[in-house]
Amino acid sequence: PGRGDKQNGSTAFMTSTRSQSRKGRQPSRACKVGAGFWAYDESSPVVPRDIIFGPLKGDRATGAVIWLHGLDDTPESWAMRLEPERRRHPRWKWVHLRAPERPITCYEKMRHPAWGDFLDSGAVRVGSRDYETRDPKGWYAESVARVHRAIEALAAEGVPPSRTALVGFS
């Protein structure tokens, strides 16, 4: 963290939402992605690595976007696709959460990044098995809790929930 791209005025780093508040943690790897920098923080075995882009060190975020990728996708692909939006909003913080890899029922229990289980490989719609099924494994509840933790972390940094957009793609 702390290295930023002077062109768009933002810093980017990859870390887990839970480990963000731990002072003194340094990333173990860093790479350049698009117009920003990110770094892996592999210190948390519980929370997968997320990607976070924020204003330059010393600048306060005026808003935030929490982005959830879809089934079998990653935050990296969306971080690159959304680079033009980050350039337009350099004072916003962008939090790309990473779904954990889970054994997905409709894919013969093969592991895929997912926020919850899917029983049917078709689209989720009202009346479908996936829409009507409660959360027996608690995966969706875990995902909701992660989003709440991200919102709380942003609020602790001075970005109120009213200035935070929750966006997802599937």
Side-chain angles (χ1 to χ4, degrees), residues 25-150:
R25 296 276 182 177
Q26 294 298 317
S28 58
R29 285 186 278 167
C31 298
K32 185 167 175 66
V33 172
F37 287 92
W38 53 263
Y40 284 110
D41 177 352
E42 298 173 357
S43 62
S44 176
V46 179
V47 181
R49 291 168 265 163
D50 303 324
I51 298 177
I52 300 172
F53 292 88
L56 281 173
K57 191 173 183 168
D59 284 347
R60 198 179 128 201
T62 60
V65 174
I66 298 173
W67 188 271
L68 302 172
H69 62 78
L71 172 66
D72 211 23
D73 203 352
T74 66
E76 287 84 359
S77 67
W78 287 103
M80 289 189 301
R81 288 181 202 159
L82 293 171
E83 181 181 347
E85 291 303 314
R86 288 195 312 275
R87 286 181 185 274
R88 279 196 280 282
H89 303 284
R91 301 263 337 257
W92 290 4
K93 189 159 196 175
W94 296 75
V95 180
H96 296 263
L97 297 178
R98 180 183 305 278
E101 292 210 355
R102 304 177 185 277
I104 304 300
T105 300
C106 70
Y107 294 123
E108 300 176 359
K109 304 283 186 187
M110 291 184 66
R111 298 181 71 77
H112 296 270
W115 302 106
D117 197 12
F118 290 88
L119 305 173
D120 185 349
S121 62
V124 175
R125 65 188 182 294
V126 174
S128 70
R129 288 191 314 162
D130 286 316
Y131 183 85
E132 299 297 332
T133 300
R134 300 288 175 189
D135 186 17
K137 297 176 183 173
W139 293 352
Y140 289 109
E142 288 173 16
S143 297
V144 168
R146 281 203 49 217
V147 169
H148 283 234
R149 286 193 306 270

